[in-house]
Amino acid sequence: MPQSPALSRMPSPLRGIVPPLATPLSGRDELDLAGLDRLIEHVLAGGVHGLFILGTTGEGPALSYRLRTEMIQRTCEQVAGRVPVLVGITDTSLVESLQLAEVAADAEADAVVMAPPYYLPFGQSQLVDYTRELVAELPLPLFLYNMPALCKTWFARETLAELLPEPRILGLKDSSGDLAYLRDAVELAQSRPGFTILIGPEALLAEALTFGVHGGVCGGGNVFPEFFVNLCAAYEQDDAMGVAAWQERIERLQGLYRISPHPSAVIQGVKAGLACRGICADLLAEPVRALAGEDRERADQIIADLEAAVNRTSA
């Protein structure tokens, strides 16, 4: 397959903060278009280096294919090439993944992102075969997404090593939270110049940067994108005090994710934070519900405290 134009547009490696964009909803299977536009402009104003849509924070697997298609098209139209757009195509069906990839290519997205298919179990050799078959038919380059907590299957070290020579696989987003695995991935990637390694768990971003990770796909970047952008900038400038200061704010932001005992607590927290900041409603894809009552009041207080801290700093 010839090299796609997107392959040459993508920075190599892709550095910085690529937030996993939330999907603003106005009702069941209804995209909040105005909220999406506000969210995109909010994160771009925060200095992010790309957008990743239809991932975990974006509730991709919980959305209808019609809504996913609309999300891809609207996001690419609004971004208009200002930063790379990565589109999640994770699915239990190879055919559906390929169809979403075609939508992404038609909308002029820059790459697609795939975690291992979930529900039906399979082994590492099957994962290698599946990934190679997918890559051979994709109209865009691919990022691998390691999300074992939800997919139950890892891109094991040996699997990553086997897939690394494929030129149309541009990088890995690792959300395992396993820093030993992440160090191995960084070491492996040294044999492939330009291969991108990004971390998902945002509380580990500062530590991960110290051993060669290129940036983060941080859910909190929806709410306060500048926290993460500024942390990366401080690290690049060898500003240890700056890194520590931004890390402290990120840790305070993590309070949003500890409010709910629900397994989707991070998504609930991100959307509550966005609602508190007036960016979009906190409606989630069913069956998950928004924070309510005292839980929502706790979210409001976390956001108010962080906004006050930001205002004091900028005053």
Side-chain angles (χ1 to χ4, degrees):
M1 177 178 291
Q3 180 175 353
S4 67
L7 189 56
S8 58
R9 288 201 307 262
M10 181 71 66
S12 179
L14 177 58
R15 297 182 181 275
I17 299 302
V18 184
L21 205 69
T23 303
L25 300 173
S26 58
R28 179 185 291 173
D29 202 41
E30 292 296 331
L31 187 62
D32 175 5
L33 298 177
L36 176 59
D37 292 351
R38 283 193 298 271
L39 176 57
I40 289 171
E41 295 307 317
H42 168 68
V43 297
L44 292 181
V48 303
H49 306 89
L51 298 180
F52 169 36
I53 64 172
L54 301 179
T56 305
T57 305
E59 304 172 89
L63 305 174
S64 71
Y65 294 114
R66 184 206 63 77
L67 196 148
R68 291 187 227 185
T69 294
E70 187 179 6
M71 179 68 177
I72 294 167
Q73 294 169 339
R74 183 74 175 205
T75 299
C76 290
E77 179 183 359
Q78 180 72 14
V79 172
R82 286 178 284 175
V83 296
V85 175
L86 284 58
V87 177
I89 60 168
T90 302
D91 206 280
T92 54
S93 163
L94 183 142
V95 171
E96 295 291 357
S97 289
L98 288 171
Q99 289 180 351
L100 275 179
E102 292 291 345
V103 172
D106 289 344
E108 300 187 354
D110 296 276
V112 293
V113 185
M114 182 272 289
Y118 44 92
Y119 191 77
L120 293 176
F122 55 97
Q124 291 297 310
S125 64
Q126 291 170 307
L127 181 56
V128 169
D129 291 343
Y130 178 89
T131 304
R132 284 177 171 161
E133 182 176 1
L134 185 70
V135 167
E137 299 186 47
L138 283 174
L140 292 172
L142 176 69
F143 279 75
L144 305 177
Y145 182 4
N146 195 47
M147 183 44 128
L150 299 182
C151 296
K152 311 305 180 187
T153 302
W154 291 64
F155 282 102
R157 188 185 194 280
E158 296 74 17
T159 298
L160 184 58
E162 198 165 348
L163 293 171
L164 201 62
E166 168 53 58
R168 301 188 75 249
I169 298 178
L170 300 188
L172 170 75
K173 177 205 171 183
D174 176 46
S175 290
S176 69
D178 184 337
L179 289 179
Y181 172 89
L182 195 58
R183 285 178 183 272
D184 282 347
V186 170
E187 181 181 347
L188 282 171
Q190 291 176 359
S191 67
R192 169 82 186 280
F195 193 84
T196 300
I197 304 289
L198 301 171
I199 186 170
E202 58 203 55
L204 301 175
L205 173 62
E207 183 175 357
L209 289 171
T210 65
F211 55 81
V213 164
H214 297 108
V217 184
C218 306
N222 284 275
V223 186
F224 286 101
E226 66 273 24
F227 290 6
F228 303 90
V229 171
N230 290 344
L231 186 150
C232 286
Y235 177 79
E236 290 296 323
Q237 296 161 10
D238 293 322
D239 178 5
M241 291 183 61
V243 170
W246 292 111
Q247 178 69 18
E248 187 271 337
R249 291 189 182 180
I250 289 169
E251 289 173 358
R252 289 167 62 187
L253 182 61
Q254 304 290 294
L256 286 175
Y257 313 151
R258 294 189 287 269
I259 294 173
S260 170
H262 194 284
S264 295
V266 172
I267 306 172
Q268 289 176 302
V270 166
K271 282 205 162 173
L274 290 172
C276 293
R277 303 207 73 192
I279 296 168
C280 66
D282 55 359
L283 189 66
L284 286 93
E286 295 177 337
V288 184
R289 302 293 183 185
L291 298 180
E294 292 182 359
D295 288 343
R296 177 55 191 274
E297 291 175 5
R298 291 174 61 191
D300 289 344
Q301 189 60 56
I302 290 169
I303 295 300
D305 290 345
L306 286 169
E307 287 181 334
V310 170
N311 291 336
R312 285 195 300 271
T313 302
S314 59

